[in-house]
Amino acid sequence: MDNPMLLKSTTRHIRIFAAEIDRDGELVPSNQVLTLDIDPDNEFNWNEDTLQKVYRQFDELVEASSGQDLTDYNLRRIGSDLEHYLRSLLQKGEISYNLSARVTNYSMGLPQVATQENQ
């Protein structure tokens, strides 16, 4: 395919593009490369280890779907699985809500508050 169409999957916290980023920061459609954008609105507080976990999970999901056609549906399935993975990280306390974010809507559930008896 000489001029591939830009396929993408966007959830609240995960964006996947079938594209590469060129020198000017523009997306160039690709049938060979997937670009992952995690938490584009900075709704969560991240550390490098947790980000690497998400990248590894992404790699595993992509590997599991290798051999399948690159379609909107397959990208949405990967994006949805990653969204669920982020929820599990939040529930385990590996990431937390960024209270300084532009918008705080607690889209993954209300934050947990430690009480005296829980400490």
Side-chain angles (χ1 to χ4, degrees):
M1 186 180 228
D2 292 342
N3 191 11
M5 184 174 75
L6 178 63
L7 297 177
K8 62 183 177 180
S9 166
T10 57
T11 65
R12 174 129 182 106
H13 306 104
I14 298 291
R15 294 182 184 158
I16 303 170
F17 302 94
E20 296 180 77
I21 300 175
D22 68 11
R23 283 189 233 160
D24 298 325
E26 298 294 320
L27 290 171
V28 178
S30 170
N31 289 327
Q32 304 299 315
V33 175
L34 295 179
T35 298
L36 175 63
D37 185 8
I38 301 169
D39 192 19
D41 295 322
N42 296 316
E43 189 173 336
F44 300 110
N45 295 310
W46 295 89
N47 62 48
E48 190 58 34
D49 289 340
T50 308
L51 275 174
Q52 289 307 313
K53 284 183 177 183
V54 176
Y55 287 121
R56 283 192 301 273
Q57 182 71 19
F58 174 69
D59 290 342
E60 289 175 18
L61 292 167
V62 170
E63 181 64 29
S65 65
S66 69
Q68 298 177 12
D69 290 337
L70 183 60
T71 63
D72 282 329
Y73 174 79
N74 290 336
L75 285 182
R76 283 194 310 268
R77 193 182 69 232
I78 291 169
S80 179
D81 287 348
L82 280 176
E83 189 81 11
H84 291 295
Y85 185 67
L86 293 186
R87 176 175 280 123
S88 75
L89 293 174
L90 181 66
Q91 289 172 343
K92 290 184 222 171
E94 294 187 43
I95 60 176
S96 61
Y97 282 110
N98 176 6
L99 300 179
S100 300
R102 181 177 56 88
V103 175
T104 6
N105 70 3
Y106 308 120
S107 61
M108 294 281 201
L110 292 175
Q112 298 178 16
V113 178
T115 61
Q116 281 296 79
E117 56 192 53
N118 290 343
Q119 293 178 351

